[in-house]
Amino acid sequence: MSDVTTKPRRSRANRRPTRSAISGQNPTLEVPYITRRIPTYDLLDDTSLCRIEDAADEILATIGIEFREDPETVERFKAAGGTVTKVGEEAWNITFEPGLIRSLCSTAPERFTQHARNPANSVDIGGDAMVFAPAYGSPFILDPQGNRRYATIDDFVKLTRLAQSSPWLHHSGGTTCEPTDIPVNKRHLDMVYAHIKHSDRPFLGSITHPDRARDSIAMAEIVFGAEFMEKNCVIMGNFNSTSPLVWDGITTQGITAYAERNQGSIHLPFLLGGAVTPVTMAGSIAQSLAESMVGVALTQLVRPGAPALLATFLSSLDLRSGSPTFGTPEPALGSLVMGQLARRLKLPLRCSGNFSTSKLPDAQAMTQAMFSMKAAVQSGTNFILHSAGFLDGLLSMSFEKFIMDTDVCAAMHAYLKGIEVTEDTLGLDGLREGGPGQHMFGTAHTLRHYETAYWDSALDDYQPWETWHEQGGQDAVARATARWQSQLASHEDPHLDPAIDEALLDYIARKKASMEDAWH
Amino acid sequence: MSDVTTKPRRSRANRRPTRSAISGQNPTLEVPYITRRIPTYDLLDDTSLCRIEDAADEILATIGIEFREDPETVERFKAAGGTVTKVGEEAWNITFEPGLIRSLCSTAPERFTQHARNPANSVDIGGDAMVFAPAYGSPFILDPQGNRRYATIDDFVKLTRLAQSSPWLHHSGGTTCEPTDIPVNKRHLDMVYAHIKHSDRPFLGSITHPDRARDSIAMAEIVFGAEFMEKNCVIMGNFNSTSPLVWDGITTQGITAYAERNQGSIHLPFLLGGAVTPVTMAGSIAQSLAESMVGVALTQLVRPGAPALLATFLSSLDLRSGSPTFGTPEPALGSLVMGQLARRLKLPLRCSGNFSTSKLPDAQAMTQAMFSMKAAVQSGTNFILHSAGFLDGLLSMSFEKFIMDTDVCAAMHAYLKGIEVTEDTLGLDGLREGGPGQHMFGTAHTLRHYETAYWDSALDDYQPWETWHEQGGQDAVARATARWQSQLASHEDPHLDPAIDEALLDYIARKKASMEDAWH
């Protein structure tokens, strides 16, 4: 083989650029929320989408939704045209003419802003905006040694700080873990306080009881003021239907509490295929659409124009063990379809995140997480809860997985930028400067672009084997442990006006004093 | 909350289906190759694609490709209209009028069959067909204890058997690992023999020297016969350009050896962004297209109609360490675009697989693998080399990662089936049978579909924490080790006609006797 030096060329030895030590934080990618610049991945054609919409209509018209222990909500739907049948002491089945629920949803905004106490951190929800929030609802913490224990308020505070210190999340989330050391009827006060105190990003309030929803809103009011909230969303609740086809009274009253104050709400059927929804994905999607639209419709009956999100949580089921499975192919496909349906409805969408059934933050966990998260991102979903920390089918929160997942979130910031095709990015000047057979490390084109060209992981090891081995040969989990510990150690809480802080603490003290502890 | 029993319903207690013990092998998904039933994910619009194609044309017209030590290939391109300039002792730069190379590619088939010695395992390459093959080229093996050692022919045989025993690969691959215990000039004979002896799927032959390419083809001829090969593809070679913009003589002579026998070839630029290609993805793609088209064009000059694949291997670069990075966002986007360009050219495409830079089969490895593999699958690529085992930037083959990756390949079989929307899959009969608030485990719809509704991992653990913990609390790596060991223990080689076996061994013995050992 001839040597490349047979053709005279300028020497570029030792001109390789050295990057400044930004620890993979890619500051040029940091944004308060992502604006998606890649197309959505549209799986189904219009005919199939129409069939699913028709099936959702048929579910609502011929099977109906059961409402429980909330006559006020039943009255609202009756007045709007629903056909009510009493089916139990405090239970009513309501059917809806095809198209009725869809038309009730039409007053909800296609896009809105959820304001943060730091205005620089306010997020848009809807359209081409995308927001990442931590996982929500785990009772357990998986410690770095792989042991599982109940979560506490101390964990909750740490997770709130960890989220706040990550540039790759945009939202503080809600019940990042269950603080099981605080009574069930009081822990919402400590959680909302932690979100306000240790984060200056938007957050979710309580939904476990209408009183707790109202407490959450009242605490938000201490921060933002009633007047501002009358016109702006500053807090949201994440509500679950009781699938199949039931909305219970605790939930519909909670939805009402948020909507009447013009605050946001998410309407989520949790669908385990074969358990509470047809085991075939088309049916799950139709049911998800029907149940979620009913939640959104309720908000619009309470207050037209209140912000509301369609939502979907599709899970396959391991029919051998009866366990839900996450990060599998069928729900990933389902997410893509839900994205299409939400856009047709002109509603913002919440869908899957970095899901996993693994007990450990291992290879299984991240295979599943990436399968699920990429589907969410490609579906064009607007609000991705469970973006960080989700393990063991949501039973465990893992600090290590939290770090791994935020690194995935970081990668998604680059992915969602897409590829720009311009004279500059085509870079023919660079190829011409070198010519065939010549390295390009030192070309003007490389020097101009290398600092921003590629996403740079904060966690992954790219070093040669020998270097990595000499440095201890750490795996991804060990690196993640070191990172969350250093991230927490260097974190400082954002400033909070002492008068607001005092007012919040006073509100909490009064509320706690007014109730006996309840542990269930 | 009211109790669901207020409404009388049929009891379905204990009617939950029990699945037969198929160990997650989902036999209904098994196919000799995949037929993609989901749309491709088309990232760029036509305007951007045309700009990239124009840039590729401009590279070929104004910078040109350097050919080395192969005057015959230079003559072929000159005769076809290229403008040749001598640039060194044995080096020629050739430029091509815009559109010339593209037009030379047009006689290559859009889709063809690579025949296996077992006709049931023949694969289609092109169109909506998709083929998964193991990783190719690692000199090292990562053992289950995390130690790295040189690979041997014993490893090669094991990997060939492991691939053959997996229903989720379709192709035996080529240099699954480098058998470093055999001289460099002889190991191709043992590798080709291992593919024929221990597998009855299609495989890749040698490309490291034209003589070795011809040996590979001669051995295929012993199995398939010259007459059959005259009209059918039974072996392929995977060729790399010497980027940027060089095709060396060893390679072009190898391409010629395959094409003149009407056998297949893959034309792959290995592009490390910022090192041998512009650091911006649009430029990498344009260069990849230009270099790869030239390889394909050569096959058509040698023998119009010979099967040839466009190929792409885009990698970002960690500019701090100078190491290539895999499984990152930009190359994933690039794969999607290459899929679009290949379809416009009407050529089959090879692109990225389960890539990773991790040293271990850990969370990093599978995050990167899934990011990369999903892009390959969504790009509609036809031949995915590196579908199993790829670690440490291809320096290490890991049996554990091999198993994890084949499980990802299995999931992709389900993913690529898409979602069917029919009256049956919409499942309203199931919802109706239960009605609001009722579990669906025992509905006729669930019973009819549960065995085939969801992909079932052969590797992932879905059990409750307590069960998993009692059973030893294994992580994904430990399960993968157990699985490859049991898969190998139970594997039986497919039948091979003893006369063919003898003829192959005789050919190898004669060739080996004719050469001194060479170790470099």
Side-chain angles (χ1 to χ4, degrees):
Chain A
M1 211 181 306
S2 70
D3 193 280
V4 295
T5 56
T6 53
K7 191 174 169 183
R9 287 182 187 95
R10 281 191 292 143
S11 161
R12 275 188 302 277
N14 303 321
R15 283 181 58 198
R16 182 144 127 208
T18 52
R19 198 165 192 165
S20 58
I22 54 168
S23 299
Q25 291 299 324
N26 304 58
T28 60
L29 292 171
E30 288 186 35
V31 284
Y33 60 88
I34 298 174
T35 299
R36 175 175 53 78
R37 299 195 194 284
I38 62 175
T40 54
Y41 187 19
D42 292 338
L43 196 78
L44 294 186
D45 60 19
D46 284 353
T47 309
S48 295
L49 295 172
C50 287
R51 278 199 86 165
I52 291 174
E53 288 168 344
D54 289 348
D57 270 356
E58 193 179 337
I59 291 167
L60 295 171
T62 66
I63 306 174
I65 300 289
E66 189 170 313
F67 294 87
R68 296 179 184 161
E69 296 191 317
D70 183 6
E72 193 187 359
T73 287
V74 172
E75 273 311 307
R76 287 190 206 275
F77 277 116
K78 189 176 177 184
T83 303
V84 178
T85 310
K86 196 157 199 282
V87 292
E89 189 65 39
E90 286 275 328
W92 300 265
N93 182 286
I94 311 187
T95 55
F96 306 92
E97 286 297 303
L100 174 58
I101 289 294
R102 173 174 299 266
S103 119
L104 291 175
C105 291
S106 65
T107 51
E110 192 169 355
R111 178 178 183 136
F112 65 94
T113 300
Q114 184 184 358
H115 293 267
R117 73 174 176 88
N118 175 354
N121 290 337
S122 295
V123 298
D124 268 20
I125 296 176
D128 58 9
M130 195 173 286
V131 169
F132 296 156
Y136 183 112
S138 300
F140 298 109
I141 299 288
L142 184 82
D143 73 17
Q145 289 73 43
N147 303 309
R148 198 177 80 164
R149 60 171 175 77
Y150 277 102
T152 64
I153 189 68
D154 179 57
D155 296 311
F156 190 97
V157 168
K158 280 186 179 138
L159 288 164
T160 306
R161 288 176 156 156
L162 210 51
Q164 166 77 12
S165 66
S166 172
W168 314 118
L169 297 171
H170 315 113
H171 196 280
S172 197
T175 306
T176 319
C177 65
E178 278 288 346
T180 61
D181 52 341
I182 299 178
V184 167
N185 60 337
K186 297 181 178 176
R187 60 177 69 148
H188 65 287
L189 299 162
D190 298 272
M191 288 194 278
V192 169
Y193 178 72
H195 282 303
I196 297 171
K197 173 80 176 173
H198 305 295
S199 171
D200 60 2
R201 287 185 173 149
F203 62 95
L204 301 175
S206 178
I207 50 91
T208 53
H209 190 281
D211 287 343
R212 297 172 202 156
R214 283 185 284 267
D215 278 339
S216 305
I217 295 165
M219 290 174 73
E221 192 177 325
I222 292 171
V223 179
F224 292 92
E227 199 185 343
F228 186 81
M229 285 171 68
E230 188 55 25
K231 293 194 177 159
N232 295 288
C233 172
V234 304
I235 190 168
M236 300 203 296
N238 180 62
F239 295 96
N240 281 51
S241 53
T242 306
S243 304
L245 306 175
V246 175
W247 279 99
D248 72 62
I250 293 286
T251 308
T252 50
Q253 290 170 57
I255 292 170
T256 302
Y258 279 83
E260 65 192 5
R261 294 297 302 274
N262 202 26
Q263 300 306 300
S265 51
I266 302 168
H267 303 271
L268 185 75
F270 176 23
L271 296 183
L272 291 180
V276 299
T277 185
V279 75
T280 44
M281 197 45 62
S284 291
I285 296 167
Q287 180 184 340
S288 189
L289 180 64
E291 292 186 14
S292 189
M293 283 199 302
V294 167
V296 173
L298 174 57
T299 65
Q300 302 307 300
L301 292 176
V302 173
R303 178 157 174 166
L309 279 76
L310 204 68
T312 188
F313 194 110
L314 301 166
S315 164
S316 49
L317 194 72
D318 174 24
L319 284 147
R320 285 174 294 166
S321 67
S323 300
T325 52
F326 294 108
T328 51
E330 296 82 9
L333 293 165
S335 294
L336 298 176
V337 177
M338 281 304 301
Q340 294 182 274
L341 293 167
R343 282 188 292 283
R344 288 162 66 97
L345 256 178
K346 298 191 193 303
L347 283 179
L349 176 68
R350 178 208 142 180
C351 103
S352 62
N354 274 311
F355 287 177
S356 174
T357 47
S358 184
K359 315 302 173 291
L360 302 170
D362 63 354
Q364 175 184 335
M366 295 314 290
T367 305
Q368 295 176 322
M370 181 59 85
F371 207 142
S372 174
M373 187 67 171
K374 215 172 180 187
V377 159
Q378 293 175 337
S379 77
T381 198
N382 307 106
F383 186 78
I384 308 189
L385 200 65
H386 305 309
S387 288
F390 186 118
L391 265 194
D392 193 9
L394 196 48
L395 288 173
S396 290
M397 164 59 78
S398 153
F399 285 65
E400 283 72 23
K401 174 114 181 326
F402 194 100
I403 292 294
M404 293 173 183
D405 286 343
T406 53
D407 204 54
V408 169
C409 289
M412 292 304 172
H413 279 69
Y415 186 73
L416 285 154
K417 278 183 72 178
I419 290 180
E420 234 191 339
V421 183
T422 64
E423 194 180 325
D424 190 33
T425 62
L426 285 165
L428 265 61
D429 57 322
L431 270 173
R432 214 168 260 130
E433 186 181 337
Q438 294 300 300
H439 282 302
M440 296 183 63
F441 287 121
T443 65
H445 184 268
T446 302
L447 292 170
R448 196 159 71 239
H449 288 285
Y450 79 95
E451 280 197 331
T452 55
Y454 299 128
W455 173 69
D456 191 11
S457 170
L459 188 65
D460 289 348
D461 184 279
Y462 299 139
Q463 302 180 100
W465 169 281
E466 294 74 9
T467 318
W468 168 81
H469 193 254
E470 276 163 24
Q471 293 177 357
Q474 285 191 324
D475 69 2
V477 177
R479 290 195 300 275
T481 301
R483 180 160 287 264
W484 71 254
Q485 290 174 344
S486 74
Q487 207 164 308
L488 277 186
S490 64
H491 176 71
E492 284 177 29
D493 281 343
H495 174 75
L496 178 64
D497 180 339
I500 290 177
D501 199 357
E502 199 179 323
L504 288 167
L505 291 170
D506 178 61
Y507 183 92
I508 293 169
R510 282 187 294 110
K511 290 301 289 196
K512 284 194 172 178
S514 73
M515 296 180 277
E516 294 294 315
D517 288 357
W519 287 98
H520 296 289
Chain B
M1 212 180 308
S2 71
D3 193 279
V4 295
T5 57
T6 53
K7 190 174 169 184
R9 287 181 187 96
R10 281 190 292 143
S11 160
R12 276 188 302 275
N14 303 321
R15 282 181 58 199
R16 180 144 128 208
T18 52
R19 198 166 193 166
S20 59
I22 54 167
S23 299
Q25 290 301 321
N26 305 57
T28 60
L29 292 171
E30 288 185 35
V31 284
Y33 60 88
I34 298 173
T35 299
R36 175 175 52 78
R37 299 195 194 287
I38 61 175
T40 54
Y41 186 18
D42 292 339
L43 196 79
L44 294 186
D45 60 20
D46 283 353
T47 309
S48 295
L49 294 172
C50 287
R51 278 199 86 164
I52 291 174
E53 289 168 343
D54 290 348
D57 270 355
E58 193 179 337
I59 291 167
L60 295 172
T62 66
I63 306 175
I65 301 288
E66 187 170 313
F67 294 87
R68 295 180 185 160
E69 297 192 316
D70 183 7
E72 193 187 1
T73 288
V74 172
E75 272 312 306
R76 286 189 206 276
F77 277 116
K78 189 176 178 184
T83 303
V84 178
T85 311
K86 197 157 197 283
V87 293
E89 188 66 39
E90 285 275 327
W92 300 265
N93 182 284
I94 311 187
T95 55
F96 306 91
E97 286 297 303
L100 174 59
I101 289 293
R102 172 174 301 267
S103 120
L104 290 175
C105 291
S106 66
T107 50
E110 191 169 357
R111 178 179 183 135
F112 65 95
T113 300
Q114 184 184 0
H115 293 267
R117 72 175 177 88
N118 177 353
N121 290 337
S122 295
V123 298
D124 268 19
I125 296 177
D128 58 9
M130 195 173 286
V131 169
F132 297 157
Y136 184 114
S138 300
F140 297 110
I141 299 287
L142 185 82
D143 74 18
Q145 289 73 43
N147 303 310
R148 198 176 80 163
R149 59 169 176 77
Y150 277 102
T152 64
I153 189 69
D154 179 58
D155 297 310
F156 191 96
V157 169
K158 280 187 179 136
L159 288 164
T160 306
R161 287 177 156 154
L162 209 52
Q164 165 77 11
S165 67
S166 171
W168 313 119
L169 297 172
H170 314 113
H171 197 280
S172 197
T175 307
T176 318
C177 64
E178 279 287 348
T180 61
D181 52 341
I182 299 179
V184 167
N185 59 337
K186 297 181 177 177
R187 62 177 67 148
H188 64 288
L189 299 161
D190 297 271
M191 288 194 278
V192 169
Y193 178 73
H195 282 304
I196 297 171
K197 172 79 175 173
H198 305 296
S199 171
D200 60 2
R201 288 185 172 148
F203 62 95
L204 301 175
S206 178
I207 49 91
T208 53
H209 190 279
D211 286 343
R212 297 172 202 156
R214 282 185 283 267
D215 278 339
S216 305
I217 295 165
M219 290 174 73
E221 192 177 325
I222 292 171
V223 179
F224 291 93
E227 199 185 344
F228 186 81
M229 285 171 68
E230 189 55 25
K231 293 193 175 159
N232 296 286
C233 172
V234 305
I235 189 168
M236 299 203 297
N238 180 64
F239 295 95
N240 281 51
S241 53
T242 307
S243 303
L245 306 176
V246 175
W247 279 99
D248 72 62
I250 293 286
T251 308
T252 50
Q253 290 170 56
I255 291 170
T256 302
Y258 279 83
E260 64 192 5
R261 294 297 303 274
N262 201 27
Q263 300 305 300
S265 52
I266 302 169
H267 303 271
L268 185 74
F270 176 23
L271 296 183
L272 291 180
V276 299
T277 186
V279 75
T280 45
M281 197 45 63
S284 291
I285 296 167
Q287 179 184 341
S288 188
L289 180 63
E291 292 186 13
S292 188
M293 281 198 303
V294 168
V296 173
L298 174 57
T299 65
Q300 302 307 298
L301 292 177
V302 173
R303 178 158 173 165
L309 279 77
L310 204 68
T312 188
F313 194 109
L314 302 166
S315 165
S316 48
L317 194 71
D318 174 24
L319 285 147
R320 284 174 295 166
S321 67
S323 300
T325 53
F326 294 107
T328 51
E330 295 83 7
L333 294 165
S335 293
L336 299 175
V337 177
M338 280 304 301
Q340 295 181 274
L341 294 167
R343 282 188 291 283
R344 288 161 66 98
L345 255 179
K346 299 192 193 305
L347 282 180
L349 176 68
R350 180 208 142 178
C351 103
S352 62
N354 274 310
F355 287 177
S356 173
T357 47
S358 184
K359 314 303 173 292
L360 301 170
D362 63 353
Q364 175 185 336
M366 295 313 290
T367 306
Q368 295 176 322
M370 180 59 86
F371 207 143
S372 174
M373 187 66 171
K374 216 171 180 187
V377 159
Q378 293 174 337
S379 77
T381 197
N382 306 106
F383 186 76
I384 308 189
L385 200 64
H386 305 309
S387 287
F390 187 118
L391 265 193
D392 193 9
L394 196 48
L395 288 173
S396 291
M397 163 58 77
S398 153
F399 285 65
E400 283 71 23
K401 175 118 181 323
F402 194 100
I403 293 295
M404 294 173 182
D405 286 343
T406 53
D407 204 55
V408 169
C409 290
M412 292 303 172
H413 280 69
Y415 185 73
L416 285 154
K417 278 182 72 179
I419 290 180
E420 235 192 338
V421 182
T422 64
E423 193 179 326
D424 190 32
T425 62
L426 285 165
L428 266 62
D429 57 322
L431 271 173
R432 214 169 259 130
E433 185 180 336
Q438 294 300 299
H439 281 302
M440 295 183 64
F441 286 122
T443 63
H445 184 269
T446 302
L447 292 171
R448 198 159 70 238
H449 288 285
Y450 78 95
E451 281 199 328
T452 55
Y454 298 128
W455 173 69
D456 192 11
S457 170
L459 188 65
D460 289 348
D461 184 280
Y462 299 140
Q463 301 180 101
W465 169 281
E466 294 76 8
T467 318
W468 169 80
H469 193 254
E470 276 163 25
Q471 292 176 357
Q474 284 190 323
D475 69 3
V477 177
R479 290 195 301 274
T481 302
R483 182 160 285 264
W484 72 254
Q485 290 174 344
S486 75
Q487 207 164 307
L488 277 186
S490 65
H491 176 70
E492 286 176 28
D493 281 342
H495 173 75
L496 179 64
D497 181 340
I500 290 176
D501 198 358
E502 201 179 320
L504 288 168
L505 291 170
D506 178 61
Y507 183 91
I508 294 169
R510 281 187 294 111
K511 290 299 289 195
K512 284 194 173 178
S514 73
M515 296 180 278
E516 295 294 315
D517 289 356
W519 288 98
H520 296 290

